[in-house]
Structures are given as C-alpha cells and as structure tokens.
Amino acid sequence: MRIYSALAALTFVLSGCVASTDAPVTMNTPAPVLSGAALAPMQSFNSHAIQPVARGNSDIANDFMDLAFQLESGRSLPVFTRFEAPITVAMIGQVPPSAHADLSRVMARLRSEAGIDIRPARPGETASVTIDFQPRATMRRAVPSAACFVVPRVSSFAEYRAARGNGSTDWATLTRRDRAAIIAPADTSPQEVRDCLHEELAQALGPLNDLYRLPDSVFNDDNFHTVLTSFDMLVLRAYYDDALSNGMSAPDVAARLPAILARLNPSGQGRGGRGDTTIAPRAWIEAVEAALSPRSTDGARQRAAERMLSIARAQGWQDNRLAFSWFALGRAQVGRDMGAATRSFRAAQAIWERLPDSAVRVAHVDMQLAAFALADGRFAESLALTDRAIPVVRRAENAALLATLLMIRSEANNALGRTAEANSARLDSLGWARYGFGTEAEVRARLSDISGLAANGRDG
C-alpha cells in the first residue's frame, strides 16, 4: 500500500487541477546521491514560443461572448467593461522575490502579443491593478477555496475585507473598470505565483468567466494551461480593440466581433466549427469541484468523478469535458484501484489525442502512465512516455511537471544501468523543481516518492 500512497501523492500534486471556482472570480526512500546535498540553483523560463491560433473565428467569437458576459457563478454581466489605457500595475505586501521578473515578463507579453498599453505604476501613483501578496492562511480565512483571486474597486486585501458585503466589489455593477486588486499568496512556489499573475491579471483586464470546453486557454478551471496562450492573447487583443468600448451591450459586442476577428486573425476566417459550444451545466461543475477538492475524502472524490462522467455522457460531449471527466476519475482511482485508474487515464488520452490543442493534456496523462510503468518495472516504457511528454511540457512552461518527468526519467535510466543519463536527467530536474515546488523539503519529497516507485519496480 505504501507504493500506492506514493503514486496518489504524486497524482494529487501534479494533476494540474486544483479547484478554486468558489473564489470571487509511500515508499519514501531518499535518493542516495542527494541525501543531505545542496540542491541545484532555481531555473525559470525566459522565452515564450508563440503558437498560431488554429481555430475558426466563429468559434472564437462564441467563446469571447461566453467569457465576457458571464461570471464563473453563471450570473450574466449586463455590459462590457475594461480599463482605459494606459493600464498601470503595482505589487504590495509580502512580494516574493520571483514575482518581479515574472510580472515584467507577462506584461511584456501583454504589450507585444495583445497590444495592451500596460506598464508598472510609478512611485506614489494609484495603480489600475494592485497585486497584494498575503500569507495563504490569511487569504483562506477570507476565501477558503481560492489559490488567488481578483476583485474590482479596491487596491488591497484590507480594502477588499472592509468592502465585503456592501456590493461594491460585485463585477456585475461595473460600467467601466478603474481599479482592481489581485490577492495572491506570498508563501508558495514561484510557479504558483507566476500562474496567479497570468490568470488573475488576464481576468482583471478582460474576461471574468472560465469555460471547461476551451482546449487552449488559461480561462479554463481544469488548469492544464499555466501561462497565457496565443488564444488568450487574441481574446485580450480583441477586448481592447478600438471598435469596442465600455458600457456596450452583448448584442452590440456580438455584432462587431466578426469584423474585429477577421482583422486580427485572418487565418481563422472560414474555418469549420469545433462542435458543441454549450456551457457546462452547474451540476457537472459542482461535481468537478468535489472531485478535485483537497478537502474531500478519497471516496467522495471518486463518487464526484463518476458523476462528472455520467453527466458528460448524458450531455453527449465528445470534447475536452468528456476527456477531463475520465481524467478526474483516473486521478480519484489512483491508490485505490490501479488497473481502473490506468483504464480511465487511457480513455482520457484517447479522446485528447484526437482533439486539436490537447498536447499538454496528453503530456499529463503520459506523466501518470510513466509513473505507473516505473513502479511496475517497465523502465523502457517509462522512458518512452517521458520522451514524448518533455518537449511539450517545456513549451507549456510547467516547471513542476517538467521536473517530475525528468525525475522519472532519471530513475528509469538508473534502473537500466545508464548512470550518465540518469545523473544528467536528475541534475536537470532539480533547478526546475525549485521553481515548480518551491522549498527544498517539497523537492526532496518528490524525489523520495519517485525513488520509491523505482525501488518497487526493481523489486517487483
């Protein structure tokens, strides 16, 4: 059972799926070569590979409207709102050291890829968007399920707490955006800080909703994408197009979108539709939240994932939502029924492999299956799975997942007697692990879990 516990822990940490939709918007054998040794310096991503948006403009227009005129709760927004340029950003509170570079990088991308006039606020200047870093325990007392969140009309966590309950932080009451605060954790990994900066800054500027049907966006609470995608940048560029303005109604925006998208994304003209563009019913979303909740029991998570799959089948979905239901079920079955978990993950993978823009999701399944293969002594298979996933994950800039794949690769090579390759992969993994997991204790815990899987595979 200890090996199942290690697999379950690895799955929980690396599934890429931590529900936060309630927010306002083991065999622990230490790796001998590292026991007591200092870890490598932290690595981070310094360049971003821009991918073309490979979808039709009619679909993108549909997505834009559902993102722009609804909240995650399902409530409708009466009018279109955005900031007026220039947009300024400030950080306050217990700002993590890594946040400065990551904020500069995402703002540079917003300027170059989305065409948004955004810059750091000057000293003494009231910022359009203020990012207030607070201890996680403090945040959770206010919003228990939120990893990070954004609220309007305030510039700090203290202002938000004072304004709660008086209606002023209700996005539906806005006719334009003047101030917003992003509340982010100060005591978490650099990757989680960066992920919060990307998603919450994008929502402060633009769409407030998330859609589970989107395959290629951070505006999706399945959280497989951790940095803003080309689709997201196109949506934000359209959001700040001169043809739109504050206070416009949904019909007015819908009437202007086709011309905007034809100009911004000419390759999307005339492309076929994706298929089902309905919004997921609330019952399925509630099942997602329960299936991914760290506060649920193992049995409750599995029952919720089974509800997800039942609803997805009843809806007739053949898209990301059906695959995600299978993935959530596999995640819940790890540590309880490994055969069933493998079948569920493979069912998810089979769907994602035939869908466009799903390589990141396939890579997440590859990580799960590579860990299973490692624990079962199928070391060559584990290597093949990591071979396929690693390039995808590098492009997606997911350091935690990249580090884990490299750790698995190191252990598989070591088990096959390939010492040089094992040492190289392990060394590469450590710098990414520092960025992805944060503390040395977390890094060593992941190393220990994966070393334990390999030990089980060699003994089996």
Side-chain angles (χ1 to χ4, degrees), residues 119-429:
R119 61 171 174 81
R122 300 184 182 95
E125 181 180 18
T126 299
S128 311
V129 180
T130 304
I131 305 163
D132 190 350
F133 288 94
Q134 294 288 325
R136 283 178 293 184
T138 302
M139 292 175 58
R140 285 170 182 165
R141 283 195 290 271
V143 185
S145 62
C148 42
F149 58 96
V150 59
V151 287
R153 292 195 177 111
V154 298
S155 295
S156 69
F157 186 53
E159 279 190 63
Y160 163 66
R161 287 191 297 183
R164 288 183 76 183
N166 68 14
S168 64
T169 58
D170 183 351
W171 288 100
T173 64
L174 269 63
T175 56
R176 57 177 285 152
R177 303 185 197 184
D178 294 303
R179 286 191 302 151
I182 295 169
I183 315 303
D187 48 352
T188 190
S189 71
Q191 177 165 319
E192 186 174 345
V193 170
R194 180 209 63 187
D195 296 354
C196 284
L197 291 175
H198 277 247
E199 181 167 6
E200 303 306 328
L201 185 54
Q203 293 200 302
L205 300 177
L208 298 165
N209 196 12
D210 285 298
L211 299 171
Y212 282 103
R213 70 177 184 247
L214 297 180
D216 52 354
S217 176
V218 301
F219 301 123
N220 184 333
D221 271 332
D222 67 13
N223 293 343
F224 282 104
H225 284 282
T226 57
V227 298
L228 290 165
T229 67
S230 297
F231 168 84
D232 300 328
M233 291 298 185
L234 175 59
V235 167
L236 288 167
R237 185 177 282 275
Y239 227 88
Y240 282 83
D241 192 88
D242 289 341
L244 302 181
S245 59
N246 276 305
M248 291 180 69
S249 68
D252 286 341
V253 172
R256 299 190 185 194
L257 265 183
I260 294 170
L261 291 173
R263 176 165 31 86
L264 298 181
N265 189 44
S267 66
Q269 290 296 96
R271 286 196 175 188
R274 184 175 60 243
D276 190 344
T277 57
T278 58
I279 293 177
R282 194 66 212 169
W284 186 81
I285 294 173
E286 289 170 355
V288 172
E289 294 167 0
L292 305 181
S293 173
R295 295 180 298 277
S296 298
T297 65
D298 291 345
R301 281 194 286 269
Q302 181 162 336
R303 290 190 295 274
E306 288 166 349
R307 287 198 303 277
M308 286 176 63
L309 185 57
S310 177
I311 294 169
R313 285 169 158 168
Q315 292 287 321
W317 293 333
Q318 297 297 318
D319 59 11
N320 179 59
R321 293 166 292 187
L322 176 61
F324 185 43
S325 299
W326 278 113
F327 184 87
L329 181 58
R331 181 182 186 270
Q333 290 165 331
V334 173
R336 295 164 65 85
D337 186 337
M338 299 307 298
T342 299
R343 291 190 293 274
S344 294
F345 283 132
R346 290 197 183 280
Q349 188 174 57
I351 297 167
W352 279 326
E353 284 179 335
R354 67 172 182 261
L355 294 177
D357 302 307
S358 295
V360 170
R361 291 166 170 81
V362 172
H364 273 269
V365 178
D366 282 344
M367 185 279 291
Q368 304 284 354
L369 298 179
F372 295 175
L374 187 68
D376 200 36
R378 292 176 280 118
F379 302 119
E381 181 181 340
S382 187
L383 282 175
L385 288 162
T386 61
D387 268 344
R388 180 166 79 161
I390 284 172
V392 175
V393 174
R394 284 189 191 275
R395 289 194 297 270
E397 301 181 31
N398 188 328
L401 184 56
L402 176 58
T404 302
L405 287 161
L406 288 165
M407 290 174 187
I408 292 172
R409 184 168 185 76
S410 174
E411 292 292 350
N413 272 312
N414 190 53
L416 292 170
R418 301 170 180 171
T419 305
E421 292 91 337
N423 290 340
S424 175
R426 179 170 294 161
L427 184 62
D428 196 12
S429 76

